Every structure is written in structure tokens, then in C-alpha cells.
Amino acid sequence: MTRRLLTALILSAGFSVAATAAPVVSDGWIRALPGDNPAGGYFTLHNPDKTPLVLTGISSPACGTAMLHMTHEMGGMVHMMMVDNVTVPAGGTFHFAPGGYHVMCMAPKGLKPGTNVAVTLKFADGSQVIANFAVKTATGN
Ligand SMILES: [Cu+2]
């Protein structure tokens, strides 16, 4: 084997190793409220890749329309604001949690505590991850 061919093989092996590592979703849950009230969804998103991960949208048949929201306080009032995307740094973890960033299920359908619903997370690079979220009661049980 010539030295040049060996170098080419090593380079191509290096490129295949650099393939993106898939995002990891854990601890997903949705707070089901009585009636037709919008429901908040929470989860942890880990980015094992070497490049930033940009979450651009969320959908679930159980949510009707789903939006990315953040909660913030202004003048003693708590507001919710829609956000277009959320960036998780390389190797980082982002928590969607009560009082902070969350998924807003605008028109929840058949959310039954004790069951699971499938939620699709969409990323800027066109990839998607489907995760199971546990449906919990208003008190988070
Ligand atoms: Cu909200």
C-alpha cells in the first residue's frame, strides 16, 4: 500500500467518525389541565454533537398546535412569550421546566394522566426526534 493511499483511507475514516450524534430527549411530560386549557410540556434536551443544536419546532397529535414558549417576569407580572427556536450548545443540556421554557399545547386532545403521548421535535438541520411524554395531572403527578 502506498503512503498516499493510506493517507486517503485515514482521512475518509476520519470523516465518517465526524457524523452528527443524535439529540437525546429525556424526562418528557405534559401537565394536563381540566377542560380545554392549554397544557405545558417539559423535557430535557441533550446535544451530544460537536456543533450547536437548534430546536425549531415541536408537534404532537395530542397538542393540536404546539408552540415553544418561555415564561418571564416583568413588572411583577408573569408573561409567556413565543420563541422561534432554542439553541443547545455543543455537548450541552437544556431544561424545559415549569417557570421557564416549555412547550405549549394550545388545543390538547385526549390528554389522560397515566398515559403517554408521542411528541416530535424538529431541528434546524431538518432532522426530527420522536419522544414519548408522560401525561401527568395538574399537580404534576
Ligand atoms: Cu406557554
Side-chain angles (χ1 to χ4, degrees), residues 3 24 35 47 68 77 90 99 116 120 141:
R3 178 172 288 254
V24 181
N47 174 18
L68 295 173
M77 298 271 288
N116 286 296
T120 303
N141 293 307

mmCIF file of all heavy atoms in Angstrom, residues 3 24 35 47 68 77 90 99 116 120 141:
data_model
loop_
_atom_site.group_PDB
_atom_site.id
_atom_site.type_symbol
_atom_site.label_atom_id
_atom_site.label_comp_id
_atom_site.label_asym_id
_atom_site.label_seq_id
_atom_site.Cartn_x
_atom_site.Cartn_y
_atom_site.Cartn_z
ATOM 1 N N ARG A 3 1.912 5.179 0.514
ATOM 2 C CA ARG A 3 1.661 6.120 1.599
ATOM 3 C C ARG A 3 0.461 7.024 1.291
ATOM 4 O O ARG A 3 -0.352 7.330 2.154
ATOM 5 C CB ARG A 3 2.924 6.960 1.823
ATOM 6 C CG ARG A 3 2.771 8.013 2.902
ATOM 7 C CD ARG A 3 4.101 8.649 3.202
ATOM 8 N NE ARG A 3 4.977 7.725 3.931
ATOM 9 C CZ ARG A 3 5.237 7.850 5.233
ATOM 10 N NH1 ARG A 3 4.722 8.832 5.915
ATOM 11 N NH2 ARG A 3 6.014 6.997 5.846
ATOM 12 N N VAL A 24 -30.664 13.847 22.378
ATOM 13 C CA VAL A 24 -31.282 12.927 23.337
ATOM 14 C C VAL A 24 -32.343 13.674 24.142
ATOM 15 O O VAL A 24 -32.070 14.689 24.773
ATOM 16 C CB VAL A 24 -30.223 12.342 24.309
ATOM 17 C CG1 VAL A 24 -30.872 11.383 25.285
ATOM 18 C CG2 VAL A 24 -29.100 11.669 23.531
ATOM 19 N N GLY A 35 -60.633 20.755 31.439
ATOM 20 C CA GLY A 35 -61.271 21.460 30.333
ATOM 21 C C GLY A 35 -60.375 21.566 29.121
ATOM 22 O O GLY A 35 -59.555 20.695 28.868
ATOM 23 N N ASN A 47 -27.509 17.660 23.770
ATOM 24 C CA ASN A 47 -26.853 17.697 22.467
ATOM 25 C C ASN A 47 -25.470 17.074 22.567
ATOM 26 O O ASN A 47 -24.526 17.718 23.006
ATOM 27 C CB ASN A 47 -26.742 19.155 21.994
ATOM 28 C CG ASN A 47 -25.942 19.282 20.707
ATOM 29 O OD1 ASN A 47 -25.742 18.304 19.993
ATOM 30 N ND2 ASN A 47 -25.498 20.494 20.420
ATOM 31 N N LEU A 68 -43.274 26.767 21.069
ATOM 32 C CA LEU A 68 -42.196 26.907 22.045
ATOM 33 C C LEU A 68 -42.429 28.217 22.788
ATOM 34 O O LEU A 68 -42.551 29.267 22.176
ATOM 35 C CB LEU A 68 -40.839 26.943 21.340
ATOM 36 C CG LEU A 68 -40.414 25.668 20.612
ATOM 37 C CD1 LEU A 68 -39.132 25.929 19.815
ATOM 38 C CD2 LEU A 68 -40.179 24.552 21.613
ATOM 39 N N MET A 77 -45.478 40.890 36.930
ATOM 40 C CA MET A 77 -46.439 40.043 36.244
ATOM 41 C C MET A 77 -45.690 38.945 35.499
ATOM 42 O O MET A 77 -44.625 39.182 34.929
ATOM 43 C CB MET A 77 -47.239 40.861 35.213
ATOM 44 C CG MET A 77 -48.066 41.974 35.813
ATOM 45 S SD MET A 77 -49.699 41.393 36.275
ATOM 46 C CE MET A 77 -50.431 41.174 34.650
ATOM 47 N N ALA A 90 -22.892 22.815 21.815
ATOM 48 C CA ALA A 90 -22.238 21.515 21.650
ATOM 49 C C ALA A 90 -21.969 20.896 23.018
ATOM 50 O O ALA A 90 -21.434 21.552 23.900
ATOM 51 C CB ALA A 90 -20.936 21.696 20.890
ATOM 52 N N GLY A 99 -42.021 27.275 34.872
ATOM 53 C CA GLY A 99 -41.460 28.579 35.223
ATOM 54 C C GLY A 99 -40.432 29.077 34.223
ATOM 55 O O GLY A 99 -39.945 30.203 34.337
ATOM 56 N N ASN A 116 -49.131 7.951 27.785
ATOM 57 C CA ASN A 116 -48.020 8.617 27.110
ATOM 58 C C ASN A 116 -48.489 9.173 25.778
ATOM 59 O O ASN A 116 -49.384 8.609 25.156
ATOM 60 C CB ASN A 116 -46.883 7.621 26.834
ATOM 61 C CG ASN A 116 -46.127 7.271 28.090
ATOM 62 O OD1 ASN A 116 -45.499 8.120 28.694
ATOM 63 N ND2 ASN A 116 -46.227 6.017 28.492
ATOM 64 N N THR A 120 -43.005 15.107 18.547
ATOM 65 C CA THR A 120 -41.940 15.207 17.541
ATOM 66 C C THR A 120 -41.190 16.521 17.699
ATOM 67 O O THR A 120 -41.804 17.588 17.709
ATOM 68 C CB THR A 120 -42.527 15.116 16.122
ATOM 69 O OG1 THR A 120 -43.261 13.899 16.010
ATOM 70 C CG2 THR A 120 -41.423 15.143 15.074
ATOM 71 N N ASN A 141 -48.484 14.961 39.073
ATOM 72 C CA ASN A 141 -48.395 13.553 39.473
ATOM 73 C C ASN A 141 -48.828 12.603 38.355
ATOM 74 O O ASN A 141 -49.508 13.003 37.447
ATOM 75 C CB ASN A 141 -49.248 13.288 40.707
ATOM 76 C CG ASN A 141 -48.693 14.009 41.920
ATOM 77 O OD1 ASN A 141 -47.516 13.867 42.239
ATOM 78 N ND2 ASN A 141 -49.527 14.804 42.555
#
